[in-house]
Amino acid sequence: MIRISFVGDIMCEEQQLLTNKTDYGFDFSDVFKNIKPVFLESDFVVGNLETPLAGEDLKYTNHKWSFNSPIEFGKAVKNAGFDLVSTANNHSLDRGIEGLNQTIKNLDHINLNHIGTYLSEKEKEKDKNYIKDINNIKIAFISYTYGTNASFNKVYLNKNEKHAINLFKRQERIVLRRQIVKRIILKIESYIYNGFTLNPKLRKLKNKIRLAKKEADLVFVLMHSGGQYNLKPDNWTVKLMDFLLKSHVDGVIGCHPHVVQKIAIHANSQIGAFSLGNFCSYPGSDSCKMNQSEYSIILHTYINDKTKKIEKVTFQIAKSIVESDGKAIIYLLFDLINNEKDEIIKKGLIEDNLLIVNRFLNQKKEKAEIESEYLIANFI
Protein backbone atom coordinates (compact mmCIF):
# COMPACT_ATOMS: atom_id res chain seq x y z
CA MET A 1 0.00 0.00 0.00
CA ILE A 2 1.29 3.46 -0.89
CA ARG A 3 0.46 6.75 0.81
CA ILE A 4 -0.15 9.97 -1.13
CA SER A 5 -0.38 13.05 1.10
CA PHE A 6 -1.88 16.44 0.29
CA VAL A 7 -1.66 19.78 2.09
CA GLY A 8 -3.19 23.20 1.47
CA ASP A 9 -1.70 26.61 0.88
CA ILE A 10 2.07 26.94 1.33
CA MET A 11 2.55 30.65 1.96
CA CYS A 12 5.48 32.92 2.76
CA GLU A 13 4.24 36.27 3.96
CA GLU A 14 6.37 39.32 4.67
CA GLN A 15 6.67 38.52 8.40
CA GLN A 16 7.93 35.02 7.62
CA LEU A 17 10.34 36.44 5.10
CA LEU A 18 11.85 38.89 7.58
CA THR A 19 12.18 36.46 10.49
CA ASN A 20 13.92 33.81 8.39
CA LYS A 21 16.51 36.15 6.92
CA THR A 22 20.11 35.34 7.84
CA ASP A 23 23.46 37.03 7.39
CA TYR A 24 24.00 35.06 4.19
CA GLY A 25 20.48 35.01 2.76
CA PHE A 26 17.45 33.07 3.96
CA ASP A 27 16.87 29.80 5.79
CA PHE A 28 13.29 28.48 6.13
CA SER A 29 14.15 24.97 7.31
CA ASP A 30 12.86 25.64 10.85
CA VAL A 31 9.38 26.29 9.48
CA PHE A 32 8.95 22.65 8.42
CA LYS A 33 11.26 20.83 10.86
CA ASN A 34 8.46 19.41 13.06
CA ILE A 35 6.31 18.24 10.17
CA LYS A 36 9.04 16.63 8.05
CA PRO A 37 8.77 13.24 9.87
CA VAL A 38 5.13 13.01 8.75
CA PHE A 39 6.13 13.29 5.11
CA LEU A 40 8.93 10.77 5.48
CA GLU A 41 6.20 8.17 5.97
CA SER A 42 4.52 9.10 2.68
CA ASP A 43 5.43 7.90 -0.79
CA PHE A 44 4.43 11.17 -2.46
CA VAL A 45 3.58 14.61 -1.04
CA VAL A 46 1.67 17.37 -2.85
CA GLY A 47 0.97 21.00 -1.89
CA ASN A 48 -0.16 24.34 -3.30
CA LEU A 49 2.73 26.81 -3.63
CA GLU A 50 0.93 30.09 -2.96
CA THR A 51 3.83 32.35 -3.90
CA PRO A 52 6.06 32.99 -6.89
CA LEU A 53 9.77 32.26 -6.50
CA ALA A 54 10.74 35.02 -8.89
CA GLY A 55 14.00 36.35 -7.47
CA GLU A 56 15.05 39.51 -5.64
CA ASP A 57 15.16 41.66 -8.77
CA LEU A 58 11.36 41.50 -8.94
CA LYS A 59 11.12 42.52 -5.26
CA TYR A 60 10.27 40.12 -2.49
CA THR A 61 6.91 40.27 -0.71
CA ASN A 62 6.18 43.77 0.57
CA HIS A 63 2.38 43.82 0.32
CA LYS A 64 -0.18 41.73 2.16
CA TRP A 65 -1.81 40.48 -1.06
CA SER A 66 1.10 40.29 -3.47
CA PHE A 67 3.81 37.70 -2.94
CA ASN A 68 7.30 36.79 -4.10
CA SER A 69 9.66 34.58 -2.11
CA PRO A 70 13.35 33.65 -2.32
CA ILE A 71 14.39 30.39 -3.96
CA GLU A 72 15.48 29.28 -0.48
CA PHE A 73 11.81 28.97 0.43
CA GLY A 74 11.34 26.51 -2.43
CA LYS A 75 14.39 24.58 -1.26
CA ALA A 76 12.91 24.32 2.25
CA VAL A 77 9.62 23.04 0.79
CA LYS A 78 11.50 20.38 -1.17
CA ASN A 79 13.68 19.43 1.80
CA ALA A 80 10.56 19.06 3.95
CA GLY A 81 9.52 16.17 1.72
CA PHE A 82 7.34 17.67 -0.99
CA ASP A 83 7.48 15.90 -4.35
CA LEU A 84 5.06 18.08 -6.33
CA VAL A 85 3.65 21.60 -6.00
CA SER A 86 0.76 23.22 -7.79
CA THR A 87 1.64 26.63 -9.20
CA ALA A 88 -1.78 27.47 -10.64
CA ASN A 89 -3.33 29.87 -8.15
CA ASN A 90 -4.47 33.48 -7.84
CA HIS A 91 -0.92 34.61 -6.94
CA SER A 92 0.79 33.05 -9.96
CA LEU A 93 1.08 36.44 -11.68
CA ASP A 94 1.93 38.57 -8.64
CA ARG A 95 5.19 39.45 -10.41
CA GLY A 96 3.75 39.28 -13.89
CA ILE A 97 4.51 36.81 -16.66
CA GLU A 98 8.24 37.30 -15.97
CA GLY A 99 7.73 36.21 -12.39
CA LEU A 100 5.68 33.20 -13.45
CA ASN A 101 8.40 32.11 -15.88
CA GLN A 102 11.19 32.67 -13.37
CA THR A 103 9.30 30.62 -10.77
CA ILE A 104 9.16 27.68 -13.16
CA LYS A 105 12.88 28.00 -13.90
CA ASN A 106 13.75 28.17 -10.20
CA LEU A 107 11.62 25.13 -9.39
CA ASP A 108 13.35 23.26 -12.21
CA HIS A 109 16.70 24.40 -10.83
CA ILE A 110 16.01 22.87 -7.40
CA ASN A 111 14.36 19.78 -8.96
CA LEU A 112 10.95 20.34 -7.39
CA ASN A 113 8.22 19.08 -9.73
CA HIS A 114 5.38 21.48 -10.52
CA ILE A 115 2.13 21.63 -12.48
CA GLY A 116 -0.37 24.28 -13.50
CA THR A 117 1.87 26.93 -15.14
CA TYR A 118 4.03 26.69 -18.26
CA LEU A 119 6.81 28.50 -20.12
CA SER A 120 5.38 27.83 -23.58
CA GLU A 121 2.53 26.22 -25.50
CA LYS A 122 4.91 23.45 -26.52
CA GLU A 123 5.75 22.69 -22.89
CA LYS A 124 2.08 22.74 -21.95
CA GLU A 125 1.22 20.29 -24.71
CA LYS A 126 4.14 18.06 -23.76
CA ASP A 127 2.93 17.99 -20.16
CA LYS A 128 -0.76 17.46 -20.89
CA ASN A 129 -0.99 15.38 -17.75
CA TYR A 130 1.59 14.99 -15.05
CA ILE A 131 1.67 11.26 -14.32
CA LYS A 132 3.78 9.77 -11.56
CA ASP A 133 4.55 6.05 -11.41
CA ILE A 134 4.73 4.91 -7.79
CA ASN A 135 5.25 1.19 -7.22
CA ASN A 136 3.73 0.49 -10.66
CA ILE A 137 0.67 2.60 -9.88
CA LYS A 138 0.23 5.48 -12.32
CA ILE A 139 -1.26 8.58 -10.73
CA ALA A 140 -2.22 11.69 -12.72
CA PHE A 141 -2.31 15.17 -11.17
CA ILE A 142 -4.07 18.13 -12.80
CA SER A 143 -3.90 21.70 -11.46
CA TYR A 144 -6.26 24.62 -12.24
CA THR A 145 -7.20 27.97 -10.69
CA TYR A 146 -10.31 30.15 -10.86
CA GLY A 147 -8.26 33.29 -11.57
CA THR A 148 -5.05 35.31 -11.17
CA ASN A 149 -6.04 38.48 -9.24
CA ALA A 150 -5.91 40.33 -12.56
CA SER A 151 -8.29 43.03 -11.34
CA PHE A 152 -5.83 43.74 -8.49
CA ASN A 153 -2.38 43.27 -10.02
CA LYS A 154 -3.40 44.57 -13.46
CA VAL A 155 -1.57 41.70 -15.19
CA TYR A 156 -3.55 40.47 -18.20
CA LEU A 157 -2.30 37.68 -20.40
CA ASN A 158 -2.16 38.47 -24.11
CA LYS A 159 -3.05 35.93 -26.79
CA ASN A 160 0.55 34.69 -26.91
CA GLU A 161 0.57 34.04 -23.15
CA LYS A 162 -2.65 32.03 -22.76
CA HIS A 163 -0.56 28.89 -22.26
CA ALA A 164 0.96 30.25 -19.06
CA ILE A 165 -1.63 29.06 -16.57
CA ASN A 166 -4.51 26.57 -16.33
CA LEU A 167 -7.72 28.51 -15.69
CA PHE A 168 -11.25 27.31 -14.92
CA LYS A 169 -12.51 30.70 -16.16
CA ARG A 170 -11.17 33.53 -18.26
CA GLN A 171 -9.23 36.26 -16.48
CA GLU A 172 -11.11 38.94 -14.57
CA ARG A 173 -11.63 42.28 -16.30
CA ILE A 174 -12.06 45.76 -14.83
CA VAL A 175 -14.95 47.80 -16.20
CA LEU A 176 -15.59 51.36 -15.03
CA ARG A 177 -18.98 52.17 -13.51
CA ARG A 178 -19.77 54.66 -16.27
CA GLN A 179 -19.40 51.96 -18.92
CA ILE A 180 -22.90 50.65 -18.26
CA VAL A 181 -23.51 48.93 -21.59
CA LYS A 182 -20.11 47.27 -21.54
CA ARG A 183 -20.72 46.10 -17.98
CA ILE A 184 -24.01 44.48 -18.99
CA ILE A 185 -22.44 42.79 -22.03
CA LEU A 186 -19.52 41.45 -19.98
CA LYS A 187 -21.90 40.24 -17.29
CA ILE A 188 -23.88 38.25 -19.86
CA GLU A 189 -20.69 36.93 -21.45
CA SER A 190 -19.33 35.95 -18.06
CA TYR A 191 -22.54 34.09 -17.21
CA ILE A 192 -22.30 32.11 -20.45
CA TYR A 193 -18.53 31.69 -20.66
CA ASN A 194 -17.89 30.87 -17.00
CA GLY A 195 -20.92 28.64 -16.52
CA PHE A 196 -20.93 24.88 -16.78
CA THR A 197 -22.56 24.37 -20.18
CA LEU A 198 -20.69 26.51 -22.71
CA ASN A 199 -17.47 27.23 -20.84
CA PRO A 200 -14.75 26.14 -23.32
CA LYS A 201 -12.11 25.89 -20.58
CA LEU A 202 -14.17 23.35 -18.67
CA ARG A 203 -14.82 21.39 -21.86
CA LYS A 204 -11.05 21.18 -22.44
CA LEU A 205 -10.53 20.19 -18.81
CA LYS A 206 -13.10 17.42 -19.11
CA ASN A 207 -11.26 16.08 -22.14
CA LYS A 208 -7.96 16.37 -20.27
CA ILE A 209 -9.43 14.26 -17.46
CA ARG A 210 -10.72 11.72 -19.97
CA LEU A 211 -7.25 11.32 -21.49
CA ALA A 212 -5.69 11.07 -18.03
CA LYS A 213 -8.11 8.27 -17.11
CA LYS A 214 -6.85 6.31 -20.10
CA GLU A 215 -3.19 6.73 -19.16
CA ALA A 216 -3.31 6.53 -15.36
CA ASP A 217 -4.83 4.32 -12.67
CA LEU A 218 -5.96 7.30 -10.58
CA VAL A 219 -6.59 10.99 -11.33
CA PHE A 220 -6.47 13.86 -8.82
CA VAL A 221 -7.45 17.46 -9.60
CA LEU A 222 -5.87 20.23 -7.54
CA MET A 223 -8.65 22.82 -7.42
CA HIS A 224 -7.93 26.45 -6.54
CA SER A 225 -11.33 28.03 -5.96
CA GLY A 226 -13.71 29.38 -3.34
CA GLY A 227 -14.38 32.38 -1.13
CA GLN A 228 -11.54 33.40 1.17
CA TYR A 229 -12.13 32.73 4.89
CA ASN A 230 -15.60 31.37 4.20
CA LEU A 231 -16.45 28.35 6.35
CA LYS A 232 -18.62 26.92 3.58
CA PRO A 233 -17.85 26.67 -0.16
CA ASP A 234 -19.59 29.15 -2.46
CA ASN A 235 -22.17 28.02 -5.01
CA TRP A 236 -19.84 28.21 -8.03
CA THR A 237 -17.21 26.05 -6.31
CA VAL A 238 -19.87 23.55 -5.24
CA LYS A 239 -20.92 23.26 -8.88
CA LEU A 240 -17.28 22.98 -9.93
CA MET A 241 -16.72 20.15 -7.45
CA ASP A 242 -19.80 18.38 -8.79
CA PHE A 243 -18.56 18.86 -12.36
CA LEU A 244 -15.15 17.38 -11.54
CA LEU A 245 -16.51 14.38 -9.64
CA LYS A 246 -18.97 13.66 -12.43
CA SER A 247 -15.98 13.70 -14.78
CA HIS A 248 -14.89 10.59 -12.86
CA VAL A 249 -11.75 11.88 -11.15
CA ASP A 250 -10.71 9.93 -8.06
CA GLY A 251 -10.08 12.98 -5.93
CA VAL A 252 -10.46 16.75 -5.88
CA ILE A 253 -8.13 18.57 -3.50
CA GLY A 254 -9.23 22.15 -2.89
CA CYS A 255 -7.27 25.23 -1.83
CA HIS A 256 -7.64 29.04 -1.70
CA PRO A 257 -10.19 29.78 1.09
CA HIS A 258 -7.28 29.75 3.63
CA VAL A 259 -9.47 27.95 6.15
CA VAL A 260 -10.52 24.33 6.55
CA GLN A 261 -13.77 23.44 4.79
CA LYS A 262 -15.65 20.16 4.51
CA ILE A 263 -14.72 16.98 2.69
CA ALA A 264 -17.11 14.64 0.94
CA ILE A 265 -16.39 10.93 0.55
CA HIS A 266 -18.46 9.08 -2.02
CA ALA A 267 -19.41 5.42 -1.96
CA ASN A 268 -17.41 4.80 -5.13
CA SER A 269 -14.30 5.98 -3.21
CA GLN A 270 -14.18 9.47 -4.76
CA ILE A 271 -12.80 12.24 -2.53
CA GLY A 272 -13.96 15.85 -2.66
CA ALA A 273 -12.09 18.17 -0.27
CA PHE A 274 -13.15 21.81 -0.70
CA SER A 275 -10.27 23.35 1.27
CA LEU A 276 -7.40 21.98 3.33
CA GLY A 277 -6.63 25.44 4.74
CA ASN A 278 -3.32 27.26 5.27
CA PHE A 279 -0.59 24.66 5.68
CA CYS A 280 2.19 27.24 5.98
CA SER A 281 0.91 30.55 7.30
CA TYR A 282 1.77 33.39 9.65
CA PRO A 283 -0.85 33.68 12.43
CA GLY A 284 -1.93 37.28 12.95
CA SER A 285 -1.11 38.38 9.42
CA ASP A 286 -3.76 39.65 7.02
CA SER A 287 -3.87 36.23 5.36
CA CYS A 288 -4.21 34.38 8.65
CA LYS A 289 -6.43 36.19 11.08
CA MET A 290 -9.90 34.64 11.18
CA ASN A 291 -11.87 31.40 11.36
CA GLN A 292 -8.94 29.37 12.69
CA SER A 293 -6.86 30.01 9.57
CA GLU A 294 -3.72 28.94 11.45
CA TYR A 295 -5.04 25.34 11.25
CA SER A 296 -4.86 23.04 8.26
CA ILE A 297 -5.45 19.48 7.15
CA ILE A 298 -2.86 16.96 5.99
CA LEU A 299 -4.89 14.51 3.92
CA HIS A 300 -3.58 10.99 3.36
CA THR A 301 -4.86 8.60 0.68
CA TYR A 302 -3.77 4.98 0.97
CA ILE A 303 -3.76 3.11 -2.34
CA ASN A 304 -3.84 -0.67 -2.62
CA ASP A 305 -0.90 -2.03 -4.63
CA LYS A 306 -2.96 -4.83 -6.13
CA THR A 307 -6.32 -3.20 -6.89
CA LYS A 308 -4.71 0.18 -7.66
CA LYS A 309 -7.66 1.83 -5.91
CA ILE A 310 -7.99 4.09 -2.89
CA GLU A 311 -8.37 1.79 0.09
CA LYS A 312 -8.34 4.21 3.00
CA VAL A 313 -8.51 7.97 3.62
CA THR A 314 -7.20 9.64 6.79
CA PHE A 315 -6.20 13.10 7.96
CA GLN A 316 -4.06 14.92 10.49
CA ILE A 317 -4.43 18.47 11.81
CA ALA A 318 -1.54 20.92 11.64
CA LYS A 319 -1.15 24.33 13.23
CA SER A 320 1.23 27.23 12.61
CA ILE A 321 2.53 28.97 15.74
CA VAL A 322 4.64 32.12 15.97
CA GLU A 323 7.59 31.38 18.24
CA SER A 324 9.46 33.84 20.48
CA ASP A 325 11.99 34.50 17.71
CA GLY A 326 9.18 35.56 15.36
CA LYS A 327 9.28 32.48 13.13
CA ALA A 328 5.99 30.72 12.35
CA ILE A 329 6.56 26.98 12.81
CA ILE A 330 4.22 24.16 11.75
CA TYR A 331 3.24 21.53 14.33
CA LEU A 332 0.88 18.58 14.49
CA LEU A 333 -1.99 19.60 16.75
CA PHE A 334 -1.81 16.16 18.37
CA ASP A 335 1.75 16.87 19.52
CA LEU A 336 0.86 20.33 20.79
CA ILE A 337 -1.96 18.93 22.92
CA ASN A 338 0.12 16.11 24.36
CA ASN A 339 3.10 18.33 25.16
CA GLU A 340 1.17 21.26 26.65
CA LYS A 341 1.59 21.65 30.45
CA ASP A 342 -0.70 24.65 30.92
CA GLU A 343 -4.19 23.20 31.43
CA ILE A 344 -5.96 26.34 30.20
CA ILE A 345 -3.97 26.41 26.94
CA LYS A 346 -4.42 22.65 26.56
CA LYS A 347 -8.18 22.95 26.97
CA GLY A 348 -8.25 25.57 24.22
CA LEU A 349 -6.27 23.32 21.89
CA ILE A 350 -8.63 20.42 22.56
CA GLU A 351 -11.62 22.66 21.76
CA ASP A 352 -9.95 23.74 18.52
CA ASN A 353 -9.27 20.10 17.65
CA LEU A 354 -12.98 19.30 17.98
CA LEU A 355 -13.92 22.36 15.94
CA ILE A 356 -11.61 21.46 13.03
CA VAL A 357 -12.61 17.78 13.08
CA ASN A 358 -16.29 18.72 12.98
CA ARG A 359 -15.80 21.30 10.25
CA PHE A 360 -13.76 19.00 8.02
CA LEU A 361 -16.08 16.03 8.46
CA ASN A 362 -19.17 18.26 8.27
CA GLN A 363 -20.55 17.02 11.59
CA LYS A 364 -21.62 18.41 14.97
CA LYS A 365 -20.27 16.01 17.53
CA GLU A 366 -19.76 17.25 21.09
CA LYS A 367 -16.57 15.27 21.61
CA ALA A 368 -13.72 13.88 19.54
CA GLU A 369 -10.92 11.61 20.65
CA ILE A 370 -7.48 13.19 20.41
CA GLU A 371 -5.78 11.22 17.65
CA SER A 372 -2.65 11.77 15.60
CA GLU A 373 -4.38 10.48 12.46
CA TYR A 374 -8.14 10.32 11.99
CA LEU A 375 -9.78 7.70 9.77
CA ILE A 376 -12.33 9.19 7.36
CA ALA A 377 -13.19 6.21 5.20
CA ASN A 378 -12.21 2.61 4.61
CA PHE A 379 -13.23 1.09 1.29
CA ILE A 380 -12.22 -2.51 1.96
Side-chain angles (χ1 to χ4, degrees):
M1 189 148 55
I2 66 171
R3 185 169 93 165
I4 311 298
S5 300
F6 299 91
V7 307
D9 302 317
I10 304 171
M11 306 181 71
C12 183
E13 294 160 280
E14 187 175 14
Q15 297 93 325
Q16 192 77 294
L17 194 70
L18 295 174
T19 55
N20 286 275
K21 186 173 177 56
T22 68
D23 292 336
Y24 55 87
F26 295 89
D27 184 355
F28 298 92
S29 56
D30 284 349
V31 176
F32 305 98
K33 63 183 179 182
N34 297 315
I35 214 74
K36 186 174 181 177
V38 174
F39 298 146
L40 289 175
E41 297 181 20
S42 300
D43 296 281
F44 201 75
V45 182
V46 185
N48 169 51
L49 186 63
E50 189 92 352
T51 176
L53 304 177
E56 188 174 8
D57 289 347
L58 294 180
K59 296 183 181 181
Y60 292 139
T61 301
N62 55 11
H63 188 282
K64 60 183 179 180
W65 294 323
S66 183
F67 306 136
N68 180 30
S69 305
I71 192 172
E72 287 86 352
F73 185 70
K75 290 178 179 178
V77 170
K78 179 179 174 60
N79 290 336
F82 284 88
D83 299 287
L84 175 69
V85 291
S86 167
T87 51
N89 55 63
N90 59 307
H91 292 286
S92 300
L93 290 170
D94 278 3
R95 293 297 182 271
I97 191 68
E98 182 183 353
L100 181 146
N101 291 340
Q102 191 58 48
T103 297
I104 293 172
K105 292 174 184 176
N106 281 335
L107 288 170
D108 288 341
H109 178 71
I110 63 175
N111 294 316
L112 179 54
N113 292 320
H114 52 87
I115 54 170
T117 56
Y118 307 93
L119 292 173
S120 64
E121 186 66 43
K122 183 178 180 180
E123 182 185 273
K124 186 173 183 177
E125 284 300 310
K126 180 181 177 182
D127 186 30
K128 284 186 176 180
N129 286 308
Y130 176 89
I131 298 177
K132 180 68 177 179
D133 191 316
I134 307 172
N135 292 354
N136 295 319
I137 300 175
K138 292 183 178 179
I139 305 174
F141 298 92
I142 299 171
S143 168
Y144 271 69
T145 179
Y146 76 95
T148 61
N149 287 356
S151 58
F152 171 74
N153 58 36
K154 309 296 189 298
V155 178
Y156 298 100
L157 299 174
N158 61 44
K159 63 180 182 180
N160 296 320
E161 298 168 340
K162 298 297 183 182
H163 62 267
I165 185 166
N166 287 336
L167 291 165
F168 290 121
K169 306 177 180 182
R170 65 179 175 184
Q171 279 189 302
E172 314 95 300
R173 291 286 176 183
I174 295 178
V175 182
L176 300 177
R177 289 181 178 274
R178 62 178 179 269
Q179 297 174 313
I180 299 175
V181 174
K182 191 172 182 180
R183 285 172 65 85
I184 294 172
I185 293 173
L186 283 178
K187 191 170 184 179
I188 294 172
E189 286 181 354
S190 178
Y191 177 80
I192 296 172
Y193 189 96
N194 294 332
F196 289 84
T197 304
L198 301 177
N199 186 330
K201 291 185 179 293
L202 291 184
R203 288 204 305 270
K204 288 182 179 179
L205 173 55
K206 191 169 185 177
N207 186 57
K208 188 181 184 78
I209 293 170
R210 182 182 62 79
L211 293 175
K213 293 289 289 184
K214 288 183 177 181
E215 299 175 15
D217 300 302
L218 294 140
V219 178
F220 289 96
V221 173
L222 309 179
M223 174 186 76
H224 203 81
S225 181
Q228 295 187 110
Y229 309 108
N230 293 346
L231 298 182
K232 296 182 179 179
D234 60 84
N235 290 335
W236 195 88
T237 304
V238 169
K239 291 179 181 178
L240 177 60
M241 176 70 78
D242 184 61
F243 168 84
L244 292 170
L245 293 175
K246 285 182 177 177
S247 298
H248 307 295
V249 299
D250 297 279
V252 180
I253 311 299
C255 292
H256 179 61
H258 299 302
V259 295
V260 174
Q261 292 181 347
K262 67 180 180 179
I263 185 173
I265 302 291
H266 296 257
N268 57 356
S269 75
Q270 284 180 298
I271 304 165
F274 281 96
S275 174
L276 300 184
N278 279 335
F279 174 68
C280 181
S281 61
Y282 200 93
S285 70
D286 285 294
S287 296
C288 186
K289 62 181 180 180
M290 63 180 73
N291 291 336
Q292 298 77 38
S293 48
E294 70 273 25
Y295 287 99
S296 70
I297 296 297
I298 304 174
L299 185 67
H300 304 296
T301 57
Y302 292 83
I303 301 168
N304 189 298
D305 298 88
K306 295 183 175 61
T307 64
K308 298 185 179 181
K309 299 292 183 182
I310 298 174
E311 183 174 297
K312 183 173 68 172
V313 184
T314 70
F315 73 96
Q316 295 176 281
I317 303 173
K319 180 180 184 179
S320 290
I321 293 181
V322 178
E323 302 284 25
S324 58
D325 60 1
K327 295 180 181 180
I329 310 298
I330 307 167
Y331 291 85
L332 284 182
L333 181 54
F334 177 82
D335 293 340
L336 289 174
I337 292 172
N338 283 333
N339 295 329
E340 183 55 59
K341 304 301 181 184
D342 187 309
E343 289 302 319
I344 295 177
I345 296 176
K346 187 170 187 174
K347 181 182 178 183
L349 292 173
I350 291 173
E351 290 173 353
D352 285 351
N353 185 82
L354 175 62
L355 186 152
I356 297 299
V357 168
N358 277 340
R359 190 191 298 175
F360 191 54
L361 298 181
N362 197 30
Q363 63 185 23
K364 296 181 179 180
K365 290 188 177 181
E366 295 182 357
K367 186 178 180 180
E369 296 297 325
I370 307 302
E371 299 180 28
S372 174
E373 187 172 353
Y374 289 93
L375 175 66
I376 306 179
N378 200 324
F379 299 110
I380 296 177

